[in-house]
Amino acid sequence: PCPEKVVVASVAGNHIADAISDAADQLWQLQPEFINSQRSFHGLVNDYAEPDRLGVDRLLAMLAAYRELGGPVLVIDCGSAVTIDLVGADGIFLGGVILPGITLACQSLVAGTVNIDNCLLDGEIDTLAKTTADGVKAGVLTGLAGGIEKVVSEQLAQSGLTPRIVITGGDANRLANHLSLELISRPDLVLQGLYLAAAESD
C-alpha cells in the first residue's frame, strides 16, 4: 500500500538520499522528508559546536532514550561506528565520542596487514590466543569493550552525572557480553527516535 509519507534519517551521503528520493517518487509519487540535525531537536538541545554536523542517527537515538527514560541518559550505539553520547537531565546533549565499530576495526586490520586475512568473531574469546584469528577476535572485542568503559568512566567523572545507560545497534548484544556496565537494551533506538520525530513533523 501507498504510505501517507516517507520520512528518512540518513548519514550515508547525497547519493543515497537521491536514490531514496527517486525510489519514493517512482513507487508512490511521494517526496521523502529528510530529518536533519538542528540546535533545537524535538525537546533536545543539540550543543554540538556545529549542530548540523552531528549525525542525525545519534540525535534520534538520544531522543528516543530521553523520551523513554528521562535524563541524564547515556546512549551507546554499536553500529558501523560506536558512538557514546551523554544527555543531561535538562535534555541538553553534553557531548560524545566516536569509535570504530567491530566490523571497521576488523577491516582495518585485514586491509592494513599482510598476514591477517580474515576476522571471525563467533565463539568464545581468549586473550591468551594461540592463533592470529583468535588474537584478532579477542583484541577487537576486548579492546573496544575496554575503550567503551574508559569513555563512559571519563564522561561520568567529567559531568558528575549518574545516567542510565542504554545500548543499541546491530552489534549491541555482541559488545554487551564484554561490558561490566549496567545496561538497558533497546535494539531499535534510532528507529524509535525517527518515529517520534516523524510524528511531530506534521
Side-chain angles (χ1 to χ4, degrees):
C2 180
E4 293 182 12
K5 64 178 178 178
V6 177
V7 184
V8 181
S10 174
V11 292
N14 291 334
H15 65 293
I16 296 296
D18 291 343
I20 292 171
S21 295
D22 290 344
D25 182 46
Q26 291 175 20
L27 289 168
W28 306 301
Q29 294 75 56
L30 290 173
Q31 285 301 309
E33 175 187 341
F34 287 84
I35 302 293
N36 298 307
S37 297
Q38 303 172 38
R39 176 77 69 186
S40 178
F41 191 81
H42 301 278
L44 294 183
V45 177
N46 173 4
D47 202 28
Y48 223 43
E50 298 178 73
D52 60 327
R53 303 275 297 179
L54 176 64
V56 70
D57 53 336
R58 295 169 68 185
L59 261 180
L60 291 169
M62 287 185 271
L63 173 63
Y66 183 76
R67 287 287 185 87
E68 178 185 350
L69 301 169
V73 64
L74 187 147
V75 176
I76 304 171
D77 192 347
C78 308
S80 301
V82 172
T83 55
I84 308 170
D85 295 315
L86 182 60
V87 180
D90 49 5
I92 297 176
F93 166 57
L94 300 176
V97 304
I98 306 170
L99 303 169
I102 292 174
T103 300
L104 281 178
C106 286
Q107 288 173 344
S108 70
L109 283 170
V110 171
T113 62
V114 174
N115 294 319
I116 299 175
D117 56 7
N118 59 48
C119 191
L120 303 176
L121 294 169
D122 296 325
E124 299 296 318
I125 65 170
D126 184 356
T127 54
L128 294 175
K130 293 182 172 63
T131 70
T132 300
D134 285 346
V136 169
K137 176 172 65 176
V140 167
L141 289 173
T142 60
L144 190 48
I148 290 170
E149 294 200 347
K150 176 65 172 175
V151 168
V152 170
S153 175
E154 293 282 344
Q155 288 182 340
L156 270 53
Q158 185 175 344
S159 67
L161 299 176
T162 306
R164 281 176 280 193
I165 303 174
V166 185
I167 191 165
T168 191
D171 284 326
N173 288 340
R174 181 173 281 159
L175 279 168
N177 292 332
H178 303 285
L179 296 171
S180 61
L181 302 167
E182 185 175 337
L183 300 168
I184 299 168
S185 176
R186 292 293 183 270
D188 300 316
L189 210 55
V190 174
L191 291 176
Q192 291 171 18
L194 180 58
Y195 177 82
L196 291 169
E200 295 170 3
S201 65
D202 292 329

